[in-house]
Amino acid sequence: MVEAWYMDSLDDDQRKPHRMEPNQSVSLQELEKLGVYHLKLNADIYEADPELKKIRTERNYTFMDIITIHKDTLPNYDEKIKIFYAEHLHLDDEIRYVLEGSGYFDVRNKDDKWIRISVVKGDLITLPAGIYHRFTLDENNFVKAMRLFVGEPVWTAYNRPADSYKARQDYLTFLAQVA
Ligand code: KMT
Ligand code: NI
């Protein structure tokens, strides 16, 4: 099971868990109401995994590449870390499959509260177009992830406020329709 929780509002090290005290966990079902989906795969066999192949075919994830986020491997590491952690949205779904290491995706809930989603090896997560979110490494300081995309990838991030985009308005409509 993927683990998620409401964040505290302390402003220190982003790589710490930032759990509330006591912890306030968030279920997969609550995440789904935000349009966030999760799936567990066997990352040891990602290169020839029939399950991953099936998902990519069914969802039309034609594009994929692999990003390794570590200070020794990622060019402009410090700058990228900052960009990933600035609250933003995309006009398309963000689809990530963790092959090694771990990290946190933070997403805003309906009441604009931060939910922290801990992703580890084998977690495939999809964030819907238009959701405000951010990413950080955790205290292990390393993640290797597959980036998937429908068609030609567009990684453009629109930092908040980005409410005028159709993707944002469509997402708000989706939120309003979910019980
Ligand atoms: C993103 O868009 O935030 C990234 O590609 C970094 C996270 S991948 C686990
Ligand atoms: Ni993003």
Side-chain angles (χ1 to χ4, degrees):
M1 251 298 272
V2 71
E3 210 198 341
W5 55 86
Y6 284 104
M7 287 185 77
D8 66 25
S9 38
L10 296 181
D11 226 7
D12 61 346
D13 189 353
Q14 67 191 54
R15 299 173 200 230
K16 288 182 177 171
H18 285 276
R19 290 175 187 270
M20 307 272 272
E21 273 181 46
N23 186 49
Q24 268 186 262
S25 66
V26 176
S27 67
L28 207 50
Q29 195 184 355
E30 284 174 79
L31 292 179
E32 287 179 4
K33 286 184 189 170
L34 302 176
V36 174
Y37 291 92
H38 168 265
L39 207 107
K40 196 84 181 180
L41 293 174
N42 181 358
D44 287 327
I45 57 160
Y46 78 89
E47 282 167 297
D49 181 4
E51 224 185 315
L52 176 62
K53 197 171 174 203
K54 184 162 169 277
I55 289 161
R56 289 188 59 187
T57 304
E58 283 173 358
R59 303 185 186 175
N60 202 25
Y61 295 163
T62 44
F63 175 91
M64 81 91 162
D65 70 4
I66 290 171
I67 183 169
T68 302
I69 306 178
H70 181 271
K71 64 175 168 32
D72 300 333
T73 61
L74 189 69
N76 304 316
Y77 173 80
D78 291 318
E79 189 190 337
K80 296 266 179 56
I81 291 290
K82 275 187 199 145
I83 292 170
F84 291 145
Y85 203 61
E87 182 173 5
H88 64 272
L89 59 73
H90 307 282
L91 308 186
D92 303 278
D93 292 359
E94 180 163 321
I95 309 146
R96 297 289 184 270
Y97 175 28
V98 179
L99 303 176
E100 287 176 47
S102 52
Y104 298 129
F105 282 98
D106 298 337
V107 299
R108 291 282 190 186
N109 81 347
K110 273 191 174 188
D111 302 324
D112 221 26
K113 294 203 169 81
W114 280 120
I115 293 173
R116 176 151 277 194
I117 305 165
S118 159
V119 292
V120 300
K121 180 174 174 177
D123 287 328
L124 189 157
I125 189 165
T126 66
L127 309 182
I131 194 173
Y132 283 124
H133 68 278
R134 63 189 181 190
F135 175 83
T136 182
L137 290 174
D138 60 22
E139 288 168 301
N140 295 315
N141 288 310
F142 166 69
V143 74
K144 176 178 168 185
M146 186 183 289
R147 306 193 293 184
L148 295 147
F149 205 88
V150 179
E152 280 308 301
V154 183
W155 308 122
T156 314
Y158 298 91
N159 283 356
R160 191 171 183 174
D163 295 334
S164 59
Y165 292 98
K166 183 173 181 292
R168 179 63 186 170
Q169 292 306 314
D170 289 349
Y171 179 65
L172 291 174
T173 303
F174 162 82
L175 276 188
Q177 283 165 354
V178 176

